[in-house]
Amino acid sequence: IFGGLVWILVACTLVVPANPQGWVMFVSIFCFIMTFIWMVVFACGGHHNKGSWAAADFAYHGIAAFFYLSASVSLARVTLEMKNGSNFRNYQLDISAVV
């Protein structure tokens, strides 16, 4: 859910430095889709209560947390650079996406 929300918030903003915000978009879309697929697999019982799925779940959430942290740091840097800019609305949307 949060990946979709970040995706919407970043998509609404003016993409001035394309590279960091491209990373933020990739992370939010990737984690949103993977979490949905992960939820469907678990809801359908595809894991069969095996221990390897618990390890895979732990690994996926660790990677997702690292991705979100790196995306947040890069978007925070871009947001700080926009602080003195002329478009206050995009600055507020970037703050919403960082938080």
Side-chain angles (χ1 to χ4, degrees), residues 3 5 8 12 18-19 27-28 32 34 37 40 53-54 61 64 66 68 70 76 81 83 85 93:
L5 180 62
I8 291 167
C12 291
N19 192 19
V27 168
S28 64
F32 181 74
M34 288 303 295
I37 291 170
V40 169
W53 279 95
H61 284 93
F66 175 74
Y68 271 121
S70 67
E81 291 172 0
K83 185 176 183 180
L93 287 171

Side-chain angles (χ1 to χ4, degrees), residues 30-96:
F30 172 78
C31 289
F32 181 74
I33 291 171
M34 288 303 295
T35 301
F36 180 75
I37 291 170
W38 204 252
M39 181 187 69
V40 169
V41 167
F42 273 84
C44 293
H47 55 85
H48 302 293
N49 290 329
K50 293 184 180 178
S52 59
W53 279 95
D57 188 42
F58 179 77
Y60 166 69
H61 284 93
I63 291 169
F66 175 74
F67 276 6
Y68 271 121
L69 180 63
S70 67
S72 178
V73 167
S74 66
L75 188 57
R77 183 185 63 82
V78 170
T79 303
L80 286 174
E81 291 172 0
M82 290 177 58
K83 185 176 183 180
N84 296 328
S86 61
N87 197 342
F88 188 66
R89 181 176 181 270
N90 285 333
Y91 177 69
Q92 289 177 324
L93 287 171
D94 274 355
I95 288 175
S96 300

